[in-house]
Amino acid sequence: MASNSSSSGGGGSERRRIAQQRLRIIAGHLQKPVDVDSDIAAVECKAQEDQTSVASKRTVPRRRQEVMKWNGWGYSDSKFLFNKKGQAEFTGKRYRLSGMILPSLKDWFEGTFGANLQHKTPATPILNSSAVKPPTLNEAFMEDIKSSGVPFSHDAEDRVFRAHGHCLHEIFALRDGKVGRVPDTVVWPNCHNDVVKIVELACKHNVCLIPYGGGTSVSSALECPPEETRSIVSLDTSQMNRILWIDEKNLTAHVEAGIVGQDLERLLNESGYCTGHEPDSMEFSSLGGWVATRASGMKKNIYGNIEDLVVHVKMVTPRGVIEKSCQGPRMSTGPDIHHFIMGSEGTLGVVTEVTMKIRPIPEYQKYGSVVFPNFEQGVACLREVAKQRCAPASIRLMDNEQFQFGHALKPQVSSIFTSFLDGLKKFYITKFKGFDPHCLCVATLLFEGDREKVLQHEKQVYDIAAKFGGLAAGEDNGQRGYMLTFVIAYLRDLGMDYYVIGESFETSVPWDRVLDICRNVKERIIRECKEKGVQFPPLSTCRVTQTYDAGACVYFYFAFNYRGLSDPVHVYEQVEHAAREEILANGGSLSHHHGVGKLRKEWMRETISSVGMGMLKSVKEYVDPDNIFGNRNLL
C-alpha cells in the first residue's frame, strides 16, 4: 500500500522539484533565507545536524521519565502535598504557585470530601519493569527500522509512558502498579520523511501504529486495544519539534507537528510572534495532537480554535501523503480535506507538518474579574457579551462551588495590609451589596491587544456586567484564576493520595440550554453517587469556559471520597456515563474539544447519524484498508 505514496520513486523526484520551485518563489518573504540546500527545503530531513542545539531547548526529552511522572500529571518535581504541619503546599520552582503555602486548602478538602489526612493511599513510587509483558516483535519490521536509522526502544518505561493518557482509570491503575497492554516498540521519527519510512514499513510488515504526541489525552485514545494481536508500535512525534519557517508578510509559520505548546509559543515569542492557542494542556500537548482532536484554547475569542488557525496540513497515511497544493487562506474545491484530518484522532495517519496563522505578540495584556449575585445573572451577562461580539480574549464563569474551590487555593498573604484589603472586599460584596456567599459566582477576564483598545474594550464589558448586577472584583482575582489553569491538573493526584477520585469533562450547548444543562447534570451526578453507594456527598461543579454566537462550552468537574467502595473506578465510570447521557438528553454535544477516543465512541452514531458514520468508515476503509493505524478510536 505505502508504495503508492507520492513521495516514493519517480513521483518523489517530481514532488521535490515542484516543492523547491515553490520555496524559491516564496523565499522573498520568509524570515530566514531559503535555497535548495537549506534546512527548510520541503523534503530534506534536517534533523540530525541540529539535534544537539534543539535538545537543549526542548521541554520534554525523548526519555520522558527524566522529567515527567510515570503515574500522575506533569513534572516529577511539581505536586501538591500536605506538609508535616498539615498545611498544603505546591512543590518545585516551575510555577508561580510553586513553594507557596495554601492555608485554606486543608479545611476545604476535609470539609468537602469528608477526607482524613490520616487515611492515605500512596501511589506506587517506581515502575516495576517485571509487571510489563515482554514485547511482541515483528522481527522483519525491526530489521528494516534498524536499517532506516530511525531511533527506537523496547525499554519497559518508554513503552508504559506511551500506553496511556490521563483518564482516571488509566492513572488509578498505574498508581496501583497495574500495567495492561502496552506498545511493543517506540519509534522517534525526526522529520516528515522518517514518518513516511515508518508508515511504509508498517504497511509492508502489517504492524499496528499508534501516533503519540504529548500524551495528554483524556478519551482513552492512547490505550492499546487489548484484542490487537499484531506488534504495536508507538510513533512518538516529540523529536519533530522545529519551526521550519516564519512568513512575516502572510503572518504564518510552518511547524513540525510534534512540538508542544509551550515550546511553540516560546520559539515564536523570540521572533516577536505568537499563535494565541492556549489549551489548558499547552505545556505538554502537541500541535499534531491539537489538529487530530480539533482542539480549543482559552483565548479562542481573539485567535480562534485550531480549525481557524490551520492554513495547511501534511499527513502521512498508508495511501501516501495528503496535503493541499497551496497555502491559500480559503479554497472552494469540494469538501475541505483538512476536515478529514482534523478530528481523525490517529485513525488515518500521522500529522507531520502544519502551517498556522501567527500574530505579533500583543502590546498590552490586562486581567480582570467580575462577581455576580448568582450563576443565572452571570450566564446572562456572558450571553449579552457574546451577542454584542465584544468578548475579551478569555472570559470564564465559575459557579459558586468552583468559586469556593478557587478561594481554597489562594496562597498565604505576606502582608497584613493585603489581608485587610481582602477582608474589606468580602465585607463590601457580602454585607454592603448583599451578595449571598453561597450563591455568588465569579467571571475571570483576560484582555489582549493595543492598550487603548483594551481599555475601551474593558469598559464595554464591565458596563454590560453592571447591567446584570456584576461588580468589578479586581485584576488580582482574574490573574490568579488564570495562574491556576496550569496547576489545577496536579490536584487530582493529591486527591488520590487520600481516597478522593475525580475528573473533568466538557460539552458545548446552545445558549438557551446552558442553565438547564448545568443544573441537571450536577444534580444527576449527586443522585447517581448516592445510588451507587458513595458515602459522602460528591463535589459537583461547573464553569462556562468559552462563548460563541450560538452557545457556549461548559466544563463539569466532579469528585468523591471512595472509602468503603470495593471498585471505585467502576462506580466513577458509571456516574460519568450517566452524566454524559444527561448532557446529550439536555441538548449538549458529545465533546467540545477533548475528542471521542474509545471512551465516548458508543455515542458516535447517535451524534453524527448512521449516514455520517458510514461516511467516516468509508474514508477509513479507503485510506487505511489494513487498519495500520489501529488505535480503534472514533469508529
Side-chain angles (χ1 to χ4, degrees):
M1 293 305 307
S3 61
N4 290 332
S5 167
S6 57
S7 62
S8 62
S13 299
E14 177 63 11
R15 186 176 190 81
R16 276 193 289 276
R17 187 190 66 76
I18 295 170
Q20 301 290 2
Q21 182 182 19
R22 287 185 183 143
L23 280 170
R24 280 194 292 272
I25 292 169
I26 64 174
H29 51 266
L30 294 181
Q31 194 182 73
K32 12 173 157 175
V34 184
D35 55 48
V36 176
D37 300 317
S38 89
D39 280 353
I40 64 166
V43 297
E44 295 304 318
C45 185
K46 71 297 150 249
Q48 300 302 326
E49 68 269 17
D50 62 357
Q51 197 66 23
T52 304
S53 61
V54 174
S56 63
K57 296 182 179 179
R58 205 164 35 233
T59 296
V60 181
R62 183 186 298 174
R63 288 184 58 81
R64 298 171 70 87
Q65 51 269 42
E66 293 173 6
V67 295
M68 309 277 288
K69 297 187 186 80
W70 71 277
N71 59 358
W73 177 263
Y75 295 110
S76 301
D77 59 7
S78 301
K79 64 178 181 177
F80 285 96
L81 55 77
F82 291 109
N83 61 27
K84 292 178 180 178
K85 296 180 180 179
Q87 298 172 313
E89 62 178 88
F90 189 62
T91 66
K93 298 179 179 179
R94 298 177 185 272
Y95 302 89
R96 290 186 60 190
L97 200 64
S98 296
M100 292 187 179
I101 299 294
L102 311 170
S104 303
L105 185 57
K106 176 178 178 287
D107 288 346
W108 176 86
F109 184 71
E110 292 182 329
T112 300
F113 297 111
N116 187 323
L117 299 194
Q118 304 306 310
H119 300 147
K120 288 203 69 175
T121 50
T124 303
I126 300 170
L127 173 65
N128 178 7
S129 296
S130 63
V132 184
K133 290 183 179 179
T136 301
L137 301 180
N138 183 311
E139 296 296 347
F141 173 81
M142 290 311 308
E143 284 302 315
D144 282 350
I145 283 291
K146 289 174 187 174
S147 299
S148 75
V150 173
F152 66 90
S153 171
H154 305 309
D155 177 78
E157 280 192 335
D158 288 334
R159 293 161 57 214
V160 168
F161 253 91
R162 289 153 187 87
H164 68 87
H166 284 273
C167 291
L168 174 74
H169 68 271
E170 294 173 307
I171 300 302
F172 195 92
L174 289 173
R175 284 173 59 92
D176 207 24
K178 296 175 182 175
V179 180
R181 180 78 157 97
V182 304
D184 301 296
T185 306
V186 180
V187 293
W188 287 277
N190 281 306
C191 63
H192 168 80
N193 275 5
D194 280 357
V195 175
V196 171
K197 292 177 195 172
I198 293 165
V199 174
E200 287 178 344
L201 293 175
C203 292
K204 176 182 175 182
H205 298 291
N206 193 26
V207 163
C208 175
L209 295 178
I210 297 182
Y212 182 93
T216 58
S217 163
V218 286
S219 65
S220 299
L222 290 170
E223 284 186 341
C224 296
E227 66 272 26
E228 180 59 73
T229 57
R230 297 173 295 178
S231 183
I232 297 178
V233 175
S234 174
L235 194 157
D236 185 329
T237 61
S238 62
Q239 307 308 292
M240 299 166 55
N241 53 24
R242 286 154 285 261
I243 296 175
L244 301 183
W245 48 254
I246 293 173
D247 181 335
E248 296 192 292
K249 285 192 176 178
N250 292 314
L251 285 181
T252 55
H254 192 63
V255 188
E256 291 179 315
I259 196 167
V260 296
Q262 61 171 310
D263 286 350
L264 175 60
E265 291 303 298
R266 175 176 54 79
L267 292 173
L268 284 173
N269 288 175
E270 289 173 6
S271 298
Y273 297 103
C274 67
T275 67
H277 185 71
E278 295 185 8
D280 290 0
S281 63
M282 72 169 286
E283 288 179 286
F284 309 114
S285 57
S286 68
L287 171 56
W290 300 342
V291 172
T293 57
R294 293 180 61 85
S296 179
M298 69 175 89
K299 298 195 292 189
K300 74 96 198 159
N301 293 334
I302 288 180
Y303 301 98
N305 291 317
I306 195 66
E307 65 269 24
D308 305 307
L309 288 164
V310 166
V311 176
H312 187 268
V313 184
K314 186 185 289 188
M315 183 168 80
V316 181
T317 79
R319 285 276 183 188
V321 177
I322 180 171
E323 64 179 318
K324 294 180 180 178
S325 64
C326 73
Q327 307 240 357
R330 187 176 187 275
M331 296 167 67
S332 179
T333 50
D336 191 341
I337 62 166
H338 283 174
H339 291 286
F340 290 109
I341 298 171
M342 288 190 280
S344 58
E345 299 192 12
T347 60
L348 302 178
V350 186
V351 175
T352 58
E353 295 176 10
V354 181
T355 305
M356 7 178 13
K357 299 173 188 174
I358 58 174
R359 301 269 194 102
I361 295 173
E363 168 197 328
Y364 189 66
Q365 188 178 68
K366 191 172 185 184
Y367 294 93
S369 61
V370 180
V371 60
F372 295 96
N374 53 57
F375 190 65
E376 291 76 13
Q377 285 177 260
V379 170
C381 173
L382 264 63
R383 174 67 190 110
E384 185 61 27
V385 167
K387 193 183 292 184
Q388 294 192 27
R389 292 194 167 181
C390 62
S394 177
I395 180 168
R396 304 193 292 196
L397 179 72
M398 299 176 282
D399 68 5
N400 184 260
E401 291 84 2
Q402 284 239 334
F403 165 72
Q404 304 286 356
F405 174 41
H407 189 73
L409 291 169
K410 194 170 184 179
Q412 186 171 313
V413 296
S414 56
S415 149
I416 294 175
F417 180 67
T418 304
S419 181
F420 172 74
L421 282 180
D422 287 344
L424 206 60
K425 288 177 190 171
K426 186 176 179 182
F427 175 83
Y428 176 76
I429 290 169
T430 59
K431 303 297 182 186
F432 189 72
K433 284 293 183 179
F435 284 25
D436 184 342
H438 300 293
C439 294
L440 63 82
C441 70
V442 173
T444 55
L445 312 170
L446 172 60
F447 299 89
E448 285 189 357
D450 171 85
R451 187 177 188 279
E452 189 176 334
K453 289 180 181 176
V454 162
L455 297 177
Q456 292 172 354
H457 195 180
E458 181 186 41
K459 182 180 184 305
Q460 185 181 7
V461 171
Y462 280 113
D463 285 348
I464 292 171
K467 294 176 182 177
F468 295 92
L471 296 173
E475 287 184 57
D476 289 347
N477 286 321
Q479 189 167 16
R480 193 172 75 251
Y482 289 99
M483 176 186 74
L484 292 174
T485 296
F486 300 119
V487 301
I488 211 89
Y490 287 93
L491 274 166
R492 187 174 69 176
D493 295 337
L494 176 70
M496 285 194 280
D497 284 341
Y498 297 95
Y499 287 94
V500 174
I501 53 176
E503 187 63 281
S504 65
F505 49 92
E506 37 65 69
T507 185
S508 52
V509 63
W511 279 113
D512 65 343
R513 304 297 300 156
V514 169
L515 290 175
D516 286 344
I517 207 168
C518 290
R519 179 186 64 250
N520 293 344
V521 172
K522 290 195 293 183
E523 289 178 357
R524 179 76 179 269
I525 288 169
I526 293 169
R527 190 166 67 248
E528 291 285 335
C529 283
K530 189 174 183 181
E531 290 174 4
K532 299 292 184 295
V534 177
Q535 296 178 15
F536 304 91
L539 174 70
S540 181
T541 176
C542 72
R543 64 179 177 178
V544 180
T545 60
Q546 281 118 320
T547 61
Y548 296 86
D549 289 347
C553 171
V554 179
Y555 249 98
F556 292 95
Y557 296 78
F558 86 95
F560 59 82
N561 184 332
Y562 67 83
R563 290 191 71 206
L565 297 178
S566 60
D567 192 348
V569 171
H570 179 62
V571 170
Y572 163 80
E573 288 175 341
Q574 287 180 308
V575 175
E576 186 189 30
H577 190 279
R580 182 60 60 183
E581 293 276 12
E582 190 69 30
I583 285 171
L584 296 174
N586 281 269
S589 68
L590 186 57
S591 175
H592 172 261
H593 61 270
H594 281 170
V596 176
K598 291 177 273 292
L599 189 66
R600 289 177 273 273
K601 71 177 185 178
E602 68 179 273
W603 291 287
M604 274 292 282
R605 188 173 300 276
E606 174 187 345
T607 298
I608 65 171
S609 81
S610 295
V611 175
M613 280 293 284
M615 292 171 69
L616 293 185
K617 286 180 178 179
S618 294
V619 172
K620 170 70 172 175
E621 286 166 8
Y622 174 75
V623 173
D624 187 15
D626 297 321
N627 196 31
I628 297 302
F629 289 91
N631 59 24
R632 290 173 169 78
N633 294 336
L634 291 174
L635 304 174

